[in-house]
């Protein structure tokens, strides 16, 4: 089903998961990650608003002007637990600390998308809730050593080993947790 109507979709993300989800939904697209946006989070912002701000910023930081037949898709994901925002860990120690903090708790995953063309732009967010079992230190160490989750918000991916053994329930879209609420992408592209 071609809802792009001859327009070219550009995914401005290096995430293999986002590429996989767009492909799985049947979209033809190119990937272009050239960007000059600096991710700085303002003081006092609601953590669940961070992805929308970052996604829109990435869209406007795209390295070139769009042509009239191009649509740019940017996205950002954050994990929020007990009011604490968690982006991507910078080290194994930080990843372990994040996973210990999430262990035995529920948390939110918020993913925002921005769809922009020369005709306009729209940013929308989706939220899902994830329930984790109590994780042992051995499980956390194994996951970090084997899967190196340094490019993942909250230091985990739902579709990897830690998700298989640790997630006891979700409310909301699995794909929002993976990093791209593909149902929103489809809806917004269809409405262009």
């Amino acid at each position: 089903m071609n809802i792009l109507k001859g327009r070219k979709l550009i995914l401005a993300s290096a995430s293999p998961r986002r590429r996989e989800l767009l492909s799985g939904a049947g979209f033809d697209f190119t990937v272009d990650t050239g960007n000059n946006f600096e991710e700085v989070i303002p003081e006092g912002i609601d953590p669940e608003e961070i992805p929308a701000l970052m996604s829109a910023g990435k869209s406007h930081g795209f390295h070139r002007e769009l042509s009239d037949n191009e649509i740019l898709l940017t996205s950002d994901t954050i994990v929020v637990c007990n009011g604490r925002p968690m982006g991507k860990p910078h080290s194994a120690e930080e990843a372990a600390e994040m996973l210990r903090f999430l262990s035995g708790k529920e948390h939110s995953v918020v993913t925002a998308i921005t769809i922009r063309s020369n005709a306009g732009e729209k940013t929308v967010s989706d939220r899902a809730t994830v329930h984790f079992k109590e994780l042992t230190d051995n499980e956390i160490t194994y996951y970090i050593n084997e899967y190196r989750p340094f490019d993942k918000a909250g230091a985990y991916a739902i579709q990897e080993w830690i998700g298989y053994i640790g997630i006891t329930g979700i409310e909301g879209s699995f794909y929002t947790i993976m990093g791209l609420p593909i149902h929103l992408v489809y809806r917004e592209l269809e409405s262009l």
Side-chain angles (χ1 to χ4, degrees):
M1 185 163 188
N2 184 7
I3 63 172
L4 293 174
K5 303 172 186 109
R7 292 169 293 189
K8 295 178 183 172
L9 180 62
I10 302 165
L11 174 64
S13 172
S15 165
R17 293 161 300 282
R18 290 184 178 129
R19 287 195 303 266
E20 176 188 336
L21 292 172
L22 268 184
S23 291
F27 288 107
D28 287 325
F29 62 95
T30 58
V31 175
D32 187 340
T33 59
N35 206 299
N36 57 27
F37 176 63
E38 191 173 325
E39 294 188 32
V40 177
I41 299 169
E43 291 286 325
I45 189 171
D46 179 335
E48 294 199 8
E49 293 177 14
I50 293 170
L53 184 68
M54 295 297 111
S55 181
K58 290 174 186 178
S59 183
H60 289 278
F62 192 62
H63 67 103
R64 65 173 177 81
E65 296 294 318
L66 296 175
S67 65
D68 285 341
N69 71 333
E70 290 179 321
I71 300 167
L72 183 67
L73 171 61
T74 55
S75 187
D76 193 76
T77 301
I78 200 160
V79 168
V80 181
C81 185
N82 293 346
R84 174 183 163 189
M86 294 185 206
K88 299 171 185 174
H90 297 101
S91 65
E93 294 76 22
E94 189 178 2
E97 190 276 326
M98 286 181 179
L99 290 170
R100 280 190 206 99
F101 189 76
L102 295 173
S103 176
K105 299 183 186 98
E106 76 174 44
H107 62 271
S108 298
V109 179
V110 180
T111 300
I113 61 165
T114 300
I115 293 176
R116 184 169 63 88
S117 70
N118 288 340
E121 75 178 86
K122 188 166 185 185
T123 299
V124 293
S125 297
D126 197 47
R127 179 183 184 278
T129 301
V130 179
H131 301 266
F132 256 124
K133 77 173 189 91
E134 289 281 346
L135 299 168
T136 67
D137 280 342
N138 283 343
E139 289 166 341
I140 290 170
T141 300
Y142 171 80
Y143 178 66
I144 292 167
N145 289 340
E146 293 298 316
Y147 291 89
R148 320 268 318 145
F150 307 121
D151 64 336
K152 297 166 180 73
Y156 79 92
I158 190 172
Q159 72 279 11
E160 291 178 345
W161 182 82
I162 200 94
Y164 300 159
I165 66 100
I167 293 175
T168 60
I170 66 169
E171 295 140 45
S173 170
F174 179 87
Y175 304 108
T176 293
I177 301 163
M178 263 184 86
L180 191 68
I182 198 70
H183 63 288
L184 292 185
V185 173
Y186 186 89
R187 182 189 79 193
E188 296 305 324
L189 289 174
E190 188 178 39
S191 71
L192 285 178

